[in-house]
Amino acid sequence: MQETVTYELKEHLKSERLKIALEVNTLIRRKMSDILVKEGFIEIPPVIFSSVTDPLNHPVYDPTFDYEGTRYSLTKSMIFHKQMIVQAIPKVYTFSPNVRLETADKAKSGRHLLEFTQLDLEMLDSTREDAMKIGEKLVSGAIKEVTEKMPGKLKILGRELHVPKTPFKVYKYTEAKEKYGKDFEQTLSELEKEPFWIIDIPLKEREFYDREKDDEKGILRDMDLMYPEGFNEAISGGEREYEIERIKERILAKGQTFEQFKWFLDYAEGGLRLSSGFGIGIERLIRYICGFERIEETHPFPKTPGKFSI
Ligand code: ASN
């Protein structure tokens, strides 16, 4: 393990590129908050650790600790907290710090950090399509804000950015995979010039909480938003399972236990209504806006999978 801050980190902290990235960070957080508040959303504080967190659908190390007889995890996403609070406050959002201790191979992607922030939101009695509309407003609104307020800074970065037209193009997961092969997400991301959606993601590719279609078994009412120019995933979200029996079936089908989600299930037993929502990775949005090859450039103290970080 390295014990001192590297020379590269010292350079990084002083760099013009980092300063611009942090100005973008400031601008887009404010802009996206403004958009959401105008839409009637209320901001909730983040949850940093909890006895229940997102199981995710890919393997990560799970940092846990015991406190007064309870095992806690660091938050991987606030999915369950969102689904609970939205029953009382029908439009919520939060800037949620997430810790996902990804395996070292993820460093290659240029878009994974072990610690990142997602703008996570949830809407009651809302469909996937409602959520997609908000997602388009946020992404195009953030990009517009930066192109209008920071054209000189984008020029310094050599970044040519245009405001995407809404609504964004929509691909169905299975059709896109058949046409473009196993790496269809990256292939399409490289081909497209504007952000686009991938919808109807199969059950085995996702966590248990996204709602299965009533008329198409094994396919979910969910979506990912993808950036063009090879920048890959922007948003992940969907409609949620809200009927307790279906939630339990889906947990068991994933080989997970009720114990893992006890506090959420206790709440859900009392009855949930349909909600939908998503999370936008803030560092990934900054990376796209700035046109950075690597996400580390967006953060003063980036944590790369498999590497020492201060
Ligand atoms: N935030 C995502 C959602 O709302 C979940 C995630 O981050 N895995 O669906």
Side-chain angles (χ1 to χ4, degrees):
M1 191 204 275
Q2 274 173 284
E3 278 170 7
T4 55
V5 175
T6 61
Y7 179 73
E8 291 78 4
L9 180 61
K10 287 181 191 163
E11 289 297 300
H12 171 60
L13 289 176
K14 286 187 292 188
S15 78
E16 179 69 7
R17 288 167 69 86
L18 176 65
K19 184 153 171 273
I20 295 173
L22 296 175
E23 284 173 37
V24 169
N25 177 52
T26 309
L27 204 58
I28 62 173
R29 283 182 187 234
R30 200 178 60 198
K31 182 67 192 178
M32 293 195 292
S33 298
D34 286 349
I35 292 172
L36 290 174
V37 170
K38 255 194 216 130
E39 294 278 341
F41 281 78
I42 289 180
E43 181 169 1
I44 58 167
V47 169
I48 307 287
F49 66 90
S50 177
S51 63
V52 54
T53 193
D54 195 327
L56 301 178
N57 201 51
H58 68 278
V60 294
Y61 300 101
D62 194 15
T64 60
F65 62 92
D66 292 316
Y67 177 68
E68 294 284 353
T70 299
R71 168 69 44 101
Y72 293 97
S73 287
L74 299 182
T75 296
K76 297 192 192 95
S77 97
M78 277 176 58
I79 181 66
F80 302 117
H81 301 82
K82 289 196 303 179
Q83 212 182 337
M84 290 190 277
I85 187 74
V86 82
Q87 305 298 320
I89 303 178
K91 290 181 175 186
V92 291
Y93 75 97
T94 181
F95 287 94
S96 172
N98 291 181
V99 173
R100 297 183 187 175
L101 300 185
E102 307 282 356
T103 48
D105 58 304
K106 287 282 195 305
K108 287 196 297 287
S109 76
R111 65 189 155 87
H112 287 90
L113 290 176
L114 302 181
E115 176 183 80
F116 65 95
T117 300
Q118 64 172 323
L119 170 51
D120 219 355
L121 62 82
E122 197 73 13
M123 303 147 73
L124 190 64
D125 299 328
S126 294
T127 62
R128 168 177 72 186
E129 287 67 29
D130 298 327
M132 287 163 75
K133 274 199 199 103
I134 295 284
E136 293 180 355
K137 263 192 196 158
L138 290 174
V139 170
S140 60
I143 294 172
K144 184 159 184 276
E145 183 76 351
V146 178
T147 54
E148 284 175 6
K149 303 257 169 73
M150 299 180 61
K153 300 288 170 72
L154 288 175
K155 207 159 178 196
I156 293 173
L157 297 178
R159 179 66 169 144
E160 273 178 41
L161 192 65
H162 70 275
V163 183
K165 286 180 288 297
T166 56
F168 300 157
K169 199 192 253 187
V170 176
Y171 288 94
K172 286 195 171 179
Y173 184 100
T174 308
E175 289 172 16
K177 193 170 179 178
E178 268 164 26
K179 186 154 179 205
Y180 296 96
K182 193 166 87 21
D183 272 341
F184 68 101
E185 283 158 322
Q186 186 60 27
T187 306
L188 279 173
S189 173
E190 282 164 20
L191 283 172
E192 289 292 341
K193 300 279 173 282
E194 303 256 313
F196 61 94
W197 296 103
I198 295 177
I199 64 164
D200 288 4
I201 300 164
L203 195 145
K204 66 173 184 347
E205 306 294 335
R206 292 291 257 232
E207 300 82 359
F208 74 80
Y209 50 74
D210 282 350
R211 185 163 176 81
E212 188 174 11
K213 287 181 145 190
D214 289 327
D215 55 355
E216 209 179 348
K217 286 287 153 213
I219 303 294
L220 304 176
R221 296 265 308 147
D222 60 358
M223 74 286 184
D224 277 351
L225 182 74
M226 303 289 293
Y227 293 121
E229 301 170 69
F231 285 93
N232 212 294
E233 191 184 326
I235 282 180
S236 183
E239 266 169 40
R240 316 303 180 190
E241 290 292 2
Y242 60 96
E243 292 150 305
I244 188 70
E245 288 315 317
R246 279 176 64 155
I247 294 174
K248 285 182 165 171
E249 250 171 56
R250 295 281 305 278
I251 290 176
L252 294 179
K254 283 275 174 205
Q256 289 156 355
T257 64
F258 298 155
E259 189 53 31
Q260 248 178 291
F261 307 105
K262 182 179 181 318
W263 288 101
F264 172 66
L265 290 175
D266 284 356
Y267 189 95
E269 292 280 1
L272 294 174
R273 275 153 59 187
L274 172 69
S275 66
S276 66
F278 59 79
I280 304 185
I282 296 294
E283 293 83 356
R284 288 181 177 182
L285 177 54
I286 300 170
R287 171 183 177 235
Y288 172 66
I289 288 175
C290 292
F292 293 154
E293 199 171 311
R294 296 208 54 94
I295 198 162
E296 283 84 347
E297 285 208 273
T298 66
H299 200 296
F301 306 104
K303 294 189 169 64
T304 305
K307 297 263 159 53
F308 168 80
S309 319
I310 68 159

